Amino acid sequence: QKEVEQNSGPLSVPEGAIASLNCTYSDRVSQSFFWYRQYSGKSPELIMSIYSNGDKEDGRFTAQLNKASQYVSLLIRDSQPSDSATYLCAVSRAGNNRKLIWGLGTSLAVNP
Amino acid sequence: GAVVSQHPSWVICKSGTSVKIECRSLDFQATTMFWYRQFPKQSLMLMATSNEGSKATYEQGVEKDKFLINHASLTLSTLTVTSAHPEDSSFYICSAGPLQGKYEQYFGPGTRLTVT
């Protein structure tokens, strides 16, 4: 079992719809959770961080964390073609020299 | 805030030569800097973790004598690819973790290395 798992996709949604991206992790002591967006040929960009159970909203993005189920998700409302990218889930553990454990990413395509 | 720069953005070098890549955190001090490599259509691969003033910690399978990392200050880390070969051609990306952060990493724009 991979430490951080994501569906590779591609996930295809029409413009204006809600895109739902999911991530599960295996280590129960994980503490911090991040979503990064990576456009083709570019470096990753941090878009959301979440540290406690529940929802965290930032503009069109909502991150949801459920530590009991070891599950973190990202919702993108009113999806735009410019949201088309690979979304990477990353998880930290205490005492891991600040390393992040990365999922392989979910490719999202928003169709006009 | 949280800007990381990388230089150069792209470089072409001949086989057998060495290339140095700089990574700077511009508006924050970074406890830790990370170096990643990414091949086309593949996922990020962590190469090494470096802390200011300490030796870098390399991931399994990464040759420390080939990929030299220096982390001289809280805002600067360098990666030197020594005796580069065509198989070292890749996208090298650094990231930095803020001193007061919660383990988040901010990425530089990356350096595309082509070895001919």
Side-chain angles (χ1 to χ4, degrees):
Chain A
Q1 181 190 8
K2 290 193 177 69
E3 292 190 71
V4 177
E5 294 209 53
Q6 296 181 254
N7 190 324
S8 63
L11 172 65
S12 185
V13 300
E15 185 175 354
I18 296 175
S20 177
L21 303 158
N22 303 316
C23 173
T24 57
Y25 59 95
S26 61
D27 193 337
R28 285 195 170 275
V29 300
S30 299
Q31 295 185 325
S32 304
F33 306 85
F34 306 96
W35 284 99
Y36 287 80
R37 176 175 62 197
Q38 187 175 24
Y39 292 112
S40 181
K42 302 294 186 183
S43 65
E45 173 193 9
L46 178 64
I47 53 171
M48 288 289 286
S49 58
I50 188 165
Y51 308 107
S52 53
N53 280 328
D55 294 0
K56 179 181 177 183
E57 188 174 315
D58 183 0
R60 295 186 296 114
F61 298 101
T62 299
Q64 299 174 319
L65 175 61
N66 184 327
K67 288 188 178 181
S69 300
Q70 295 174 239
Y71 174 95
V72 58
S73 65
L74 179 70
L75 300 177
I76 307 174
R77 289 182 299 283
D78 188 23
S79 295
Q80 300 296 309
S82 58
D83 295 325
S84 299
T86 297
Y87 288 81
L88 301 166
C89 172
V91 173
S92 77
R93 293 200 300 263
N96 202 28
N97 198 15
R98 306 181 74 90
K99 279 195 326 187
L100 293 179
I101 311 301
W102 295 87
L104 296 182
T106 298
S107 175
L108 172 66
V110 180
N111 305 308
Chain B
V3 179
V4 177
S5 70
Q6 223 175 303
H7 178 79
S9 53
W10 59 271
V11 57
I12 301 173
C13 71
K14 292 193 174 182
S15 190
T17 61
S18 295
V19 172
K20 181 187 279 189
I21 302 169
E22 283 191 357
C23 176
R24 291 180 186 272
S25 56
L26 297 185
D27 53 2
F28 65 97
Q29 291 184 316
T31 306
T32 311
M33 288 184 166
F34 304 86
W35 288 95
Y36 294 84
R37 181 167 56 180
Q38 189 172 37
F39 294 106
K41 298 195 186 303
Q42 293 190 22
S43 58
L44 285 176
M45 190 196 82
L46 178 66
M47 300 174 67
T49 302
S50 74
N51 293 292
E52 182 258 347
S54 319
K55 286 186 180 179
T57 302
Y58 291 82
E59 295 299 299
Q60 193 171 8
V62 177
E63 300 173 57
K64 62 181 181 182
D65 294 331
K66 180 169 182 62
F67 299 100
L68 301 179
I69 292 171
N70 184 277
H71 194 158
S73 75
L74 286 174
T75 59
L76 173 64
S77 177
T78 60
L79 168 69
T80 302
V81 183
T82 63
S83 187
H85 292 285
E87 57 266 30
D88 298 323
S89 298
S90 188
F91 190 41
Y92 291 85
I93 319 172
C94 73
S95 70
L99 202 59
Q100 303 300 326
K102 284 190 175 183
Y103 289 41
E104 68 272 27
Q105 293 179 21
Y106 296 96
F107 283 83
T111 297
R112 201 160 298 282
L113 170 64
T114 302
V115 185
T116 60

